[in-house]
Amino acid sequence: HVQLVESGGGSVQAGGSLRFSCAASGYGVTYSEYCMGWFRQTPGKEREGVAAIDREGLTSYADSVSGRFAISKDNDKNTLSLQMNNLKPEDTAMYYCAARTAPGGRWSRPDQYPYWGQGTQVTVS
């Protein structure tokens, strides 16, 4: 199993920026083999895909964050990052990093990912 631990997040005013990371450990395959994603969830709503990066470094984004968020993966440091710019109040949510080894499928579906971090809160006011 792989363990994922998010760090960063916090509170920011609208228009501001935040960056957080997800550190991976305990994996049975090399970190570079994982496809990684960021998801977010607000109370009463389903978890939604925000961004993903595959083994080749190709990225995908939800329409709501495209052009504002940037996902990156450092295979040497075993970390995943999400840079969030021009934040909006509707970006307020608990953010989770997730990992999977099986490629393909729909990157934005939470059920595609067996490994999850504990989440980090982002509040935009």
Side-chain angles (χ1 to χ4, degrees):
H1 294 291
V2 62
Q3 288 83 48
L4 303 173
V5 179
E6 297 99 339
S7 60
S11 298
V12 66
Q13 291 186 338
S17 298
L18 280 174
R19 181 182 180 90
F20 43 74
S21 300
C22 174
S25 63
Y27 32 87
V29 298
T30 59
Y31 182 68
S32 61
E33 298 283 319
Y34 284 90
C35 302
M36 306 294 295
W38 286 102
F39 290 76
R40 65 186 181 186
Q41 189 171 24
T42 55
K45 293 188 177 181
E46 294 185 353
R47 193 167 294 187
E48 64 171 352
V50 174
I53 185 167
D54 69 10
R55 298 172 179 177
E56 287 74 37
L58 295 177
T59 57
S60 300
Y61 296 93
D63 290 343
S64 59
V65 307
S66 183
R68 300 188 296 121
F69 290 13
I71 187 172
S72 59
K73 184 171 179 267
D74 188 330
N75 291 327
D76 292 331
K77 296 182 178 179
N78 301 335
T79 58
L80 178 75
S81 298
L82 186 68
Q83 177 67 42
M84 305 185 294
N85 299 323
N86 190 22
L87 283 159
K88 304 176 180 180
E90 51 263 43
D91 295 318
T92 296
M94 185 72 80
Y95 283 73
Y96 300 87
C97 69
R100 59 177 178 154
T101 54
R106 294 185 62 180
W107 70 266
S108 59
R109 287 183 53 174
D111 63 1
Q112 300 285 317
Y113 298 79
Y115 308 110
W116 291 86
Q118 81 286 356
T120 185
Q121 177 68 37
V122 171
T123 302
V124 184
S125 59

